[in-house]
């Protein structure tokens, strides 16, 4: 019978959600200095852009390294011939 299963009251769920939100806000404030969700969203966007820029720089550096490494290998191969 479905009625025999315990159910949570909506107020219990609201209390849990409020507790989770409060804990999240405390962490955002302690770790990142954010007082509001809006500040956290702005920070997240800034961090995303910085991460994308760093990834782009890394890819360019990797491509340059790979090209140089290929040159070195070709030179060594030609010298050993």
């Amino acid at each position: 019978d479905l009625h025999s299963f315990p159910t949570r009251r909506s107020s219990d769920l609201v209390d849990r959600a409020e507790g989770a939100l409060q804990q999240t806000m405390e962490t955002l404030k302690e770790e990142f200095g954010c007082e509001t969700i809006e500040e956290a969203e702005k920070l997240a966007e800034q961090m995303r852009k910085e991460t994308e820029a760093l990834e782009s720089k890394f890819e360019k550096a990797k491509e340059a390294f790979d090209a140089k490494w290929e040159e070195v290998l070709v030179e060594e191969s030609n010298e050993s011939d």
Side-chain angles (χ1 to χ4, degrees):
D1 184 62
L2 288 176
H3 299 291
S4 64
F5 287 105
T7 59
R8 295 184 191 262
R9 294 180 312 169
S10 62
S11 62
D12 292 341
L13 296 175
V14 169
D15 289 344
R16 288 182 65 194
E18 286 176 349
L21 179 59
Q22 182 178 3
Q23 184 178 8
T24 300
M25 290 308 300
E26 287 173 8
T27 300
L28 288 170
K29 184 176 181 178
E30 290 172 10
E31 298 290 326
F32 303 102
C34 298
E35 298 283 340
T36 65
I37 294 291
E38 290 78 15
E39 287 178 12
E41 288 173 340
K42 287 178 185 177
L43 179 61
E45 180 64 18
Q46 177 185 354
M47 292 171 78
R48 184 190 62 76
K49 288 179 180 179
E50 290 173 0
T51 299
E52 286 177 355
L54 288 171
E55 288 173 344
S56 176
K57 287 180 183 179
F58 173 80
E59 283 300 317
K60 289 177 183 175
K62 183 180 178 301
E63 289 171 7
F65 175 84
D66 289 346
K68 186 66 176 174
W69 183 250
E70 185 66 29
E71 284 179 28
V72 169
L73 293 177
V74 169
E75 287 174 13
E76 287 180 357
S77 175
N78 290 340
E79 288 175 2
S80 67
D81 289 339

